[in-house]
């Protein structure tokens, strides 16, 4: 991480930083977040999937996102396949961030999504979110589903399931999906007229998904 923290502030043309599958853990993520605050404003994409990042690392990244001057160029942040459990820090950052358009939090350990849901009532910049494959409690899934509906009613083409607005098929077989995933996807499909096929076979949706 010393190498990156030395390069990031001096690399004036850097636009994309891909550090997926690098075992950064929280220590590396905290150091990286500090370096990002000194980065040039050309950086628009940060990919940190599968790095063992927990809430501590997420809090450091949230601090970077909340710094609107430091993070104003960043449009895409991929935090999928990590180990975050709480959405409070990222939700608070999203409430003030006006640059991020894509945030992937899929396949983490998020049990609550209420802070992100609350942020979406203020944030009209984020349009491509991905929160599937998290063990969200039913209340959080319901809050996120309502936030999705409200955003779309206001004309924001928001997704929280990582789907394309032009998608004709949703193929999510054998993904370990739970009832919270089903609630999010159901809200998304309410305004997805092009979808012709939905495959959710071999998941763990439970009776709540049919309620």
């Amino acid at each position: 991480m010393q190498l990156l923290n030395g390069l990031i502030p001096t690399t004036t043309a850097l636009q994309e930083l891909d550090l997926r599958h690098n075992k950064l853990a929280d220590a590396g993520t905290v150091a990286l977040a500090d370096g990002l605050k000194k980065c040039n404003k050309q950086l628009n994409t940060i990919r940190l999937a599968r790095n063992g990042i927990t809430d501590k690392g997420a809090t450091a990244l949230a601090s970077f996102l909340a710094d609107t001057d430091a993070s104003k160029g960043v449009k895409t942040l991929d935090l999928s396949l990590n180990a975050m459990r709480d959405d409070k820090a990222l939700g608070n950052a999203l409430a003030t961030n006006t640059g991020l358009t894509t945030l992937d939090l899929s396949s983490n350990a998020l049990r609550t999504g209420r802070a992100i849901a609350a942020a979406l009532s203020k944030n009209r910049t984020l349009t491509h979110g991905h929160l599937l494959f998290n063990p969200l409690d039913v209340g959080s899934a319901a809050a996120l589903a309502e936030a999705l509906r409200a955003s779309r009613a206001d004309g924001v083409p928001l997704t929280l399931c990582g789907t394309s607005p032009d998608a004709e098929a949703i193929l999510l077989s054998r993904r370990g999906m739970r009832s919270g995933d089903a609630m999010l996807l159901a809200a998304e499909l309410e305004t997805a007229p092009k979808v012709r096929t939905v495959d959710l076979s071999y998941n763990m949706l439970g009776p709540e998904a049919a309620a």
Side-chain angles (χ1 to χ4, degrees):
M1 203 48 60
Q2 290 179 342
L3 172 64
L4 285 172
N5 281 345
L7 285 175
I8 287 174
T10 59
T11 309
T12 58
L14 183 65
Q15 295 185 0
E16 180 171 347
L17 182 61
D18 192 338
L19 292 170
R20 290 174 292 179
H21 300 257
N22 266 291
K23 300 181 180 180
L24 295 182
D26 286 333
T29 304
V30 169
L32 175 64
D34 183 60
L36 289 172
K37 291 180 180 180
K38 307 166 189 173
C39 186
N40 73 84
K41 303 305 184 292
Q42 301 300 315
L43 182 64
N44 59 62
T45 301
I46 303 170
R47 303 190 188 281
L48 299 174
R50 204 183 285 277
N51 270 295
I53 301 170
T54 73
D55 294 337
K56 182 177 180 180
T59 298
L61 290 169
S63 176
F64 164 67
L65 291 176
D67 186 334
T68 54
D69 182 60
S71 66
K72 66 181 180 181
V74 177
K75 305 297 182 186
T76 298
L77 176 59
D78 179 4
L79 292 172
S80 61
L81 296 160
N82 280 294
M84 291 170 283
R85 296 170 63 92
D86 194 310
D87 73 322
K88 185 176 181 180
L90 286 171
N92 289 342
L94 287 176
T96 58
N97 182 280
T98 57
L100 199 68
T101 61
T102 300
L103 176 62
D104 192 342
L105 295 173
S106 62
S107 300
N108 271 270
L110 290 171
R111 298 184 181 279
T112 175
R114 289 177 174 84
I116 291 176
L120 291 175
S121 67
K122 305 172 185 176
N123 187 310
R124 289 295 184 261
T125 308
L126 187 73
T127 55
H128 194 91
H130 197 342
L131 284 158
L132 292 183
F133 320 127
N134 282 288
L136 291 169
D137 63 70
V138 172
S140 291
L144 286 164
E146 284 306 310
L148 172 64
R149 293 184 181 102
S151 291
R152 290 191 169 186
D154 287 344
V156 180
L158 176 66
T159 173
L160 292 179
C161 299
T163 59
S164 165
D166 297 320
E168 296 185 1
I170 306 294
L171 306 177
L172 295 172
S173 177
R174 300 180 187 274
R175 297 300 302 271
M177 294 178 69
R178 309 183 190 202
S179 56
D181 295 313
M183 293 174 71
L184 283 181
L185 188 58
E188 191 135 317
L189 291 175
E190 289 172 7
T191 50
K194 294 186 179 181
V195 173
R196 297 290 181 267
T197 301
V198 177
D199 182 358
L200 303 179
S201 59
Y202 299 98
N203 279 290
M204 301 181 291
L205 300 180
E208 297 90 345

